Amino acid sequence: AHPGTTVLIQGETGTGKELFARGVHYSGASASDPFVAINCSAIPEHLLESELFGHERGAFTGADTQKRGLFEFAGHGTVFLDEIGELPSSLQPKLLRALEERKVRRVGGLKETDIGCRVIAATNRDLNVFVQDGHFRADLFYRLSVFRLELPPLRERHGDIELLTGFFVDNIFREHGVRSERLV
């Protein structure tokens, strides 16, 4: 997919959606720019907007300094929006505008800032159902799923089990300073 193309990755919990997103990022032309991941369900709504878009000094209680949001911080890299189906409805039009206009406005700010990052979103939910139920904006769904991937569960990807096992064992050995041995 073109670096500016949004990608939606759907699949069960544990299918490796974030690993896949990192693979897309690090295999692309913008691999030297940041890969910034945020879990849309783990951050309270009132903080999520500031995390994504940044804020100006004095925009709210505790905003003692200006802060760049993740879209600005990513530069020409990737913003990975995990659990996108949990994005609060109040932020959905703001994200849609950012994707359409390729600009963000910090909370409490007047000036818009151009963004150049790729957006990859992931969910273990069926967003089609969320759209039909009115919990997720149809226009945002279509904007996010320009390039859509459905990751099958690991139980259907037997060839990946050995690769993933080797990857995790190597990481554990490296963390503990132990020479890596093959399991299989």
Side-chain angles (χ1 to χ4, degrees), residues 2-62:
H2 182 273
T5 303
T6 55
V7 178
L8 178 63
I9 304 171
Q10 293 181 279
E12 291 180 10
T13 299
T15 56
K17 294 180 291 292
E18 184 169 348
L19 282 174
F20 194 86
R22 286 180 185 275
V24 169
H25 171 75
Y26 289 113
S27 66
S30 299
S32 61
D33 283 294
F35 177 90
V36 182
I38 187 165
N39 185 321
C40 296
S41 68
I43 298 175
E45 181 176 346
H46 66 283
L47 295 177
L48 186 57
E49 182 176 6
S50 174
E51 286 295 309
L52 293 174
F53 306 120
H55 64 256
E56 296 294 339
R57 182 176 183 221
F60 50 85
T61 303

Coordinates of all heavy atoms in Angstrom, one line a residue, residues 2-62:
H2 N 0.4 2.3 -0.7 CA 1.1 3.6 -0.7 C 1.3 4.1 0.7 O 0.4 3.9 1.5 CB 0.3 4.5 -1.6 CG 0.9 5.9 -1.8 ND1 0.7 6.9 -0.9 CD2 1.7 6.4 -2.7 CE1 1.3 7.9 -1.3 NE2 2.0 7.6 -2.4
P3 N 2.4 4.8 1.0 CA 2.6 5.3 2.4 C 1.4 6.2 2.9 O 1.2 6.2 4.1 CB 3.9 6.1 2.2 CG 4.6 5.6 1.1 CD 3.5 5.1 0.1
G4 N 0.7 6.8 2.1 CA -0.4 7.6 2.6 C -1.7 6.9 2.7 O -2.7 7.4 3.2
T5 N -1.8 5.6 2.3 CA -3.0 4.8 2.3 C -3.3 4.4 3.7 O -2.4 3.8 4.4 CB -2.8 3.6 1.4 OG1 -2.5 4.1 0.1 CG2 -4.1 2.8 1.4
T6 N -4.5 4.6 4.2 CA -4.9 4.0 5.5 C -5.1 2.5 5.4 O -5.6 2.0 4.3 CB -6.2 4.7 6.0 OG1 -7.2 4.6 5.1 CG2 -5.9 6.2 6.4
V7 N -4.8 1.8 6.5 CA -4.9 0.4 6.5 C -5.8 0.0 7.7 O -5.6 0.5 8.8 CB -3.6 -0.3 6.6 CG1 -3.7 -1.8 6.6 CG2 -2.7 0.1 5.4
L8 N -6.7 -0.9 7.5 CA -7.5 -1.4 8.6 C -7.2 -2.9 8.7 O -7.4 -3.7 7.7 CB -9.0 -1.2 8.4 CG -9.9 -1.8 9.5 CD1 -9.7 -1.1 10.8 CD2 -11.4 -1.7 9.1
I9 N -6.7 -3.3 9.9 CA -6.4 -4.7 10.1 C -7.5 -5.3 11.1 O -7.6 -4.8 12.2 CB -5.0 -4.9 10.8 CG1 -4.0 -4.3 9.9 CG2 -4.7 -6.4 11.0 CD1 -2.6 -4.2 10.5
Q10 N -8.2 -6.3 10.7 CA -9.2 -6.9 11.5 C -8.8 -8.4 11.8 O -8.2 -9.0 10.9 CB -10.6 -6.9 10.8 CG -11.1 -5.5 10.7 CD -12.5 -5.5 10.0 OE1 -12.6 -5.6 8.8 NE2 -13.5 -5.4 10.8
G11 N -9.0 -8.8 13.0 CA -8.7 -10.2 13.4 C -9.0 -10.4 14.8 O -9.0 -9.5 15.6
E12 N -9.1 -11.7 15.2 CA -9.3 -12.0 16.6 C -8.1 -11.5 17.5 O -7.0 -11.3 17.0 CB -9.3 -13.6 16.8 CG -10.5 -14.2 16.2 CD -10.5 -15.7 16.3 OE1 -9.7 -16.2 17.1 OE2 -11.4 -16.4 15.7
T13 N -8.4 -11.4 18.8 CA -7.3 -11.1 19.7 C -6.2 -12.2 19.6 O -6.5 -13.4 19.5 CB -7.9 -11.1 21.2 OG1 -8.9 -10.1 21.2 CG2 -6.8 -10.9 22.2
G14 N -5.0 -11.7 19.6 CA -3.8 -12.7 19.5 C -3.4 -13.1 18.1 O -2.6 -13.9 17.9
T15 N -4.0 -12.4 17.1 CA -3.6 -12.8 15.7 C -2.3 -12.1 15.2 O -1.8 -12.4 14.2 CB -4.7 -12.5 14.7 OG1 -5.1 -11.1 14.8 CG2 -5.9 -13.4 14.9
G16 N -1.9 -11.1 16.0 CA -0.6 -10.4 15.7 C -0.9 -9.1 14.9 O -0.1 -8.8 14.0
K17 N -2.0 -8.4 15.1 CA -2.3 -7.2 14.4 C -1.2 -6.2 14.5 O -0.8 -5.6 13.5 CB -3.7 -6.7 14.8 CG -4.8 -7.6 14.4 CD -6.2 -7.1 14.8 CE -6.4 -7.1 16.3 NZ -6.5 -8.4 17.0
E18 N -0.7 -5.9 15.7 CA 0.3 -4.9 15.9 C 1.6 -5.4 15.3 O 2.3 -4.6 14.7 CB 0.5 -4.6 17.4 CG 1.6 -3.5 17.6 CD 1.6 -2.9 19.0 OE1 0.8 -3.2 19.8 OE2 2.6 -2.2 19.2
L19 N 2.0 -6.6 15.4 CA 3.2 -7.1 14.7 C 3.1 -6.9 13.2 O 4.1 -6.5 12.6 CB 3.4 -8.6 15.0 CG 4.0 -9.0 16.4 CD1 4.0 -10.5 16.6 CD2 5.4 -8.4 16.5
F20 N 1.9 -7.2 12.7 CA 1.7 -7.0 11.2 C 1.9 -5.5 10.9 O 2.5 -5.1 9.9 CB 0.4 -7.5 10.8 CG 0.3 -7.7 9.3 CD1 0.7 -8.8 8.7 CD2 -0.3 -6.6 8.6 CE1 0.6 -8.9 7.3 CE2 -0.4 -6.7 7.2 CZ 0.1 -7.9 6.6
A21 N 1.3 -4.6 11.7 CA 1.4 -3.2 11.5 C 2.8 -2.7 11.5 O 3.3 -1.9 10.7 CB 0.5 -2.4 12.5
R22 N 3.6 -3.2 12.5 CA 5.0 -2.9 12.6 C 5.8 -3.4 11.3 O 6.6 -2.7 10.8 CB 5.6 -3.5 13.8 CG 5.2 -2.8 15.1 CD 5.9 -3.4 16.3 NE 5.4 -2.7 17.5 CZ 5.9 -1.6 18.1 NH1 6.9 -1.0 17.5 NH2 5.4 -1.1 19.2
G23 N 5.4 -4.6 10.8 CA 6.0 -5.1 9.6 C 5.7 -4.2 8.4 O 6.6 -3.9 7.6
V24 N 4.5 -3.7 8.3 CA 4.2 -2.7 7.2 C 5.0 -1.5 7.4 O 5.6 -1.0 6.4 CB 2.7 -2.4 7.2 CG1 2.4 -1.2 6.3 CG2 1.8 -3.6 6.9
H25 N 5.1 -1.0 8.6 CA 5.9 0.3 8.8 C 7.4 0.1 8.5 O 8.0 0.8 7.7 CB 5.8 0.7 10.3 CG 6.7 1.8 10.6 ND1 6.5 3.1 10.2 CD2 7.8 1.8 11.3 CE1 7.5 3.9 10.7 NE2 8.3 3.1 11.3
Y26 N 8.0 -1.0 9.1 CA 9.4 -1.2 9.0 C 9.9 -1.7 7.6 O 11.1 -1.7 7.3 CB 10.0 -2.0 10.1 CG 9.9 -1.3 11.4 CD1 9.1 -1.7 12.4 CD2 10.7 -0.2 11.6 CE1 9.0 -1.0 13.6 CE2 10.7 0.5 12.8 CZ 9.8 0.1 13.8 OH 9.8 0.8 15.0
S27 N 8.9 -2.1 6.8 CA 9.3 -2.6 5.4 C 9.1 -1.4 4.4 O 9.4 -1.6 3.2 CB 8.5 -3.8 5.0 OG 7.1 -3.5 4.9
G28 N 8.6 -0.3 4.9 CA 8.3 0.8 4.0 C 9.4 1.9 3.9 O 10.4 1.8 4.6
A29 N 9.2 2.9 3.1 CA 10.1 3.9 2.9 C 10.3 4.8 4.1 O 11.3 5.5 4.2 CB 9.7 4.8 1.7
S30 N 9.3 4.8 5.0 CA 9.4 5.6 6.2 C 9.8 4.9 7.5 O 9.5 5.3 8.6 CB 8.0 6.3 6.4 OG 7.6 7.1 5.3
A31 N 10.5 3.8 7.3 CA 10.9 3.0 8.4 C 11.8 3.7 9.4 O 11.8 3.4 10.6 CB 11.7 1.7 7.9
S32 N 12.5 4.7 9.0 CA 13.4 5.5 9.9 C 12.6 6.5 10.7 O 13.1 7.0 11.7 CB 14.5 6.2 9.2 OG 13.9 7.1 8.2
D33 N 11.3 6.8 10.4 CA 10.5 7.6 11.1 C 9.8 6.8 12.2 O 9.7 5.6 12.1 CB 9.4 8.3 10.2 CG 10.0 9.4 9.4 OD1 10.4 10.4 10.0 OD2 10.1 9.3 8.2
P34 N 9.2 7.5 13.2 CA 8.6 6.7 14.4 C 7.4 5.9 14.0 O 6.6 6.2 13.1 CB 8.1 7.8 15.3 CG 8.9 9.0 14.9 CD 9.2 8.9 13.5
F35 N 7.3 4.8 14.7 CA 6.1 3.9 14.7 C 5.5 4.2 16.1 O 6.0 4.0 17.1 CB 6.4 2.4 14.6 CG 5.2 1.5 14.7 CD1 4.5 1.2 13.6 CD2 4.7 1.1 16.0 CE1 3.3 0.4 13.7 CE2 3.6 0.3 16.1 CZ 2.9 -0.1 14.9
V36 N 4.3 4.8 16.1 CA 3.6 5.3 17.3 C 2.3 4.5 17.5 O 1.4 4.6 16.7 CB 3.3 6.8 17.3 CG1 2.7 7.3 18.6 CG2 4.6 7.6 16.9
A37 N 2.3 3.7 18.6 CA 1.1 2.9 18.8 C 0.3 3.5 20.0 O 0.9 3.9 21.0 CB 1.5 1.5 19.2
I38 N -1.0 3.5 19.8 CA -1.9 3.9 20.9 C -3.1 3.0 21.0 O -3.7 2.7 19.9 CB -2.3 5.4 20.8 CG1 -3.1 5.9 22.0 CG2 -3.1 5.6 19.5 CD1 -3.2 7.4 22.1
N39 N -3.5 2.6 22.2 CA -4.7 1.8 22.3 C -5.9 2.7 22.6 O -5.9 3.4 23.7 CB -4.4 0.8 23.5 CG -5.6 -0.2 23.6 OD1 -6.7 0.2 23.5 ND2 -5.2 -1.4 23.9
C40 N -6.8 2.8 21.7 CA -7.9 3.7 21.8 C -8.9 3.3 23.0 O -9.6 4.2 23.4 CB -8.7 3.7 20.5 SG -7.8 4.3 19.1
S41 N -8.8 2.1 23.5 CA -9.7 1.8 24.7 C -9.0 2.0 26.0 O -9.6 1.9 27.0 CB -10.1 0.3 24.5 OG -9.1 -0.6 24.7
A42 N -7.7 2.2 26.0 CA -6.9 2.2 27.3 C -6.8 3.6 27.8 O -6.3 3.8 29.0 CB -5.5 1.6 27.1
I43 N -7.1 4.6 27.1 CA -6.9 6.0 27.5 C -8.3 6.7 27.7 O -9.1 6.6 26.8 CB -6.0 6.8 26.5 CG1 -4.7 6.1 26.4 CG2 -5.9 8.3 26.9 CD1 -3.8 6.7 25.4
P44 N -8.5 7.4 28.8 CA -9.8 8.1 29.0 C -10.0 9.1 27.9 O -9.1 9.7 27.3 CB -9.6 8.8 30.3 CG -8.5 8.1 31.0 CD -7.6 7.5 30.0
E45 N -11.3 9.2 27.5 CA -11.7 10.0 26.4 C -11.1 11.4 26.5 O -10.7 12.0 25.5 CB -13.2 10.1 26.3 CG -13.8 10.9 25.2 CD -15.3 10.8 25.1 OE1 -15.9 10.0 25.8 OE2 -15.9 11.7 24.4
H46 N -11.2 12.1 27.6 CA -10.7 13.4 27.7 C -9.2 13.6 27.5 O -8.7 14.7 27.2 CB -11.1 14.1 29.1 CG -10.5 13.4 30.3 ND1 -10.9 12.2 30.8 CD2 -9.5 13.9 31.1 CE1 -10.2 11.9 31.8 NE2 -9.3 12.9 32.0
L47 N -8.4 12.5 27.7 CA -7.0 12.5 27.4 C -6.6 12.1 26.0 O -5.6 12.5 25.5 CB -6.3 11.7 28.5 CG -6.3 12.1 29.9 CD1 -5.6 11.1 30.8 CD2 -5.8 13.5 30.1
L48 N -7.5 11.2 25.4 CA -7.2 10.7 24.1 C -7.1 11.7 23.1 O -6.2 11.7 22.2 CB -8.3 9.6 23.8 CG -8.0 8.8 22.5 CD1 -6.7 8.1 22.6 CD2 -9.1 7.8 22.3
E49 N -8.0 12.7 23.1 CA -7.9 13.8 22.1 C -6.6 14.5 22.2 O -5.9 14.8 21.1 CB -9.0 14.8 22.3 CG -9.0 15.9 21.2 CD -10.2 16.8 21.3 OE1 -11.0 16.7 22.3 OE2 -10.4 17.6 20.4
S50 N -6.1 14.8 23.4 CA -4.8 15.5 23.5 C -3.7 14.6 23.1 O -2.7 15.1 22.5 CB -4.7 15.9 25.0 OG -3.4 16.4 25.2
E51 N -3.8 13.3 23.4 CA -2.7 12.4 23.0 C -2.6 12.3 21.4 O -1.5 12.3 20.9 CB -3.0 10.9 23.5 CG -2.7 10.8 25.0 CD -1.2 11.0 25.3 OE1 -0.4 10.3 24.7 OE2 -0.9 11.8 26.2
L52 N -3.7 12.2 20.8 CA -3.7 12.1 19.3 C -3.3 13.4 18.6 O -2.5 13.5 17.7 CB -5.1 11.7 18.8 CG -5.6 10.3 19.2 CD1 -7.0 10.1 18.7 CD2 -4.6 9.3 18.5
F53 N -3.9 14.5 19.1 CA -3.8 15.8 18.3 C -3.0 16.8 19.0 O -2.7 17.9 18.4 CB -5.2 16.4 18.1 CG -6.1 15.4 17.4 CD1 -7.3 15.0 18.0 CD2 -5.8 14.9 16.2 CE1 -8.2 14.1 17.4 CE2 -6.7 14.0 15.5 CZ -7.9 13.6 16.2
G54 N -2.6 16.6 20.3 CA -1.8 17.6 21.0 C -2.7 18.6 21.7 O -3.9 18.6 21.6
H55 N -2.0 19.5 22.4 CA -2.8 20.6 23.1 C -1.9 21.8 23.2 O -0.7 21.8 23.2 CB -3.4 20.2 24.4 CG -2.4 19.9 25.5 ND1 -2.1 18.6 25.8 CD2 -1.6 20.6 26.2 CE1 -1.1 18.6 26.7 NE2 -0.8 19.8 27.0
E56 N -2.6 23.0 23.4 CA -1.9 24.2 23.6 C -1.8 24.5 25.1 O -2.6 24.0 25.9 CB -2.6 25.4 22.9 CG -2.7 25.3 21.4 CD -1.3 25.5 20.8 OE1 -0.4 26.0 21.4 OE2 -1.2 25.0 19.6
R57 N -0.8 25.2 25.5 CA -0.7 25.6 26.9 C -2.0 26.3 27.4 O -2.5 27.2 26.7 CB 0.5 26.5 27.1 CG 0.7 26.9 28.5 CD 2.0 27.7 28.6 NE 2.2 28.0 30.0 CZ 2.6 29.2 30.5 NH1 2.9 30.2 29.7 NH2 2.7 29.4 31.8
G58 N -2.5 25.9 28.5 CA -3.7 26.5 29.1 C -5.0 26.0 28.5 O -6.1 26.5 28.8
A59 N -5.0 25.0 27.6 CA -6.2 24.5 27.0 C -7.2 23.9 28.0 O -8.4 23.9 27.8 CB -5.9 23.5 25.9
F60 N -6.6 23.3 29.1 CA -7.4 22.7 30.1 C -6.6 22.7 31.4 O -5.4 22.9 31.3 CB -7.9 21.3 29.7 CG -6.8 20.4 29.2 CD1 -6.1 19.7 30.1 CD2 -6.6 20.3 27.8 CE1 -5.0 18.8 29.6 CE2 -5.6 19.4 27.4 CZ -4.8 18.7 28.3
T61 N -7.2 22.4 32.5 CA -6.5 22.3 33.7 C -5.4 21.3 33.7 O -5.6 20.1 33.2 CB -7.5 21.9 34.9 OG1 -8.5 22.9 34.9 CG2 -6.8 21.9 36.2
G62 N -4.2 21.7 34.0 CA -3.0 20.8 33.9 C -2.2 20.9 32.7 O -1.2 20.3 32.5

